[in-house]
Amino acid sequence: TLLGGFWADVAWGRFWGWDPKENAALFVILWAMLAFHLRAARLIKPFVFAALAALSLPVVGISWFGVNLLGAGLHSYGFESGTAIAVAGFVIADAAVIAGLAVLAARRRSF
């Protein structure tokens, strides 16, 4: 994201343009920073950190694919029938896998 900002400054004359794709990329970085800082400061247990790490997949998926459904910005190219259903299915399936693994881990008390 940072290097993309430098490229945009040279190519377009601006470092940050509040494009939805730029904001989504920033959200992914902020999510990762939140998880790593909370764990480094020992404010969360390893199980919670694992849950935040597992939830990174839907965050990235929505940031990559879900932003295209907004229809705004320079990079909106996801206007096909069924795209919203596919993104929602991806997020739901991933959440189900995460929940199942969390239940198994809680039963085994491995965290």
Side-chain angles (χ1 to χ4, degrees):
T1 300
L2 185 63
L3 292 175
F6 288 124
W7 173 83
D9 190 33
V10 171
W12 298 334
R14 60 178 172 80
F15 180 82
W16 190 265
W18 294 104
D19 186 75
K21 282 280 190 179
E22 294 172 347
N23 294 334
L26 178 64
F27 183 67
V28 170
I29 291 171
L30 292 175
W31 182 266
M33 286 175 53
L34 172 73
F36 286 123
H37 282 86
L38 287 174
R39 184 65 191 132
R42 301 197 191 286
L43 296 173
I44 57 174
K45 296 183 186 266
F47 182 78
V48 177
F49 177 72
L52 289 175
L55 289 173
S56 295
L57 187 59
V59 168
V60 171
I62 290 171
S63 296
W64 282 355
F65 303 113
V67 173
N68 294 328
L69 301 174
L70 295 175
L74 298 172
H75 308 291
S76 294
Y77 41 79
F79 299 111
E80 296 179 11
S81 63
T83 305
I85 294 171
V87 171
F90 168 76
V91 171
I92 291 169
D94 190 56
V97 169
I98 291 168
L101 292 175
V103 168
L104 287 175
R107 286 184 182 170
R108 297 185 79 195
R109 298 183 188 262
S110 60
F111 285 101

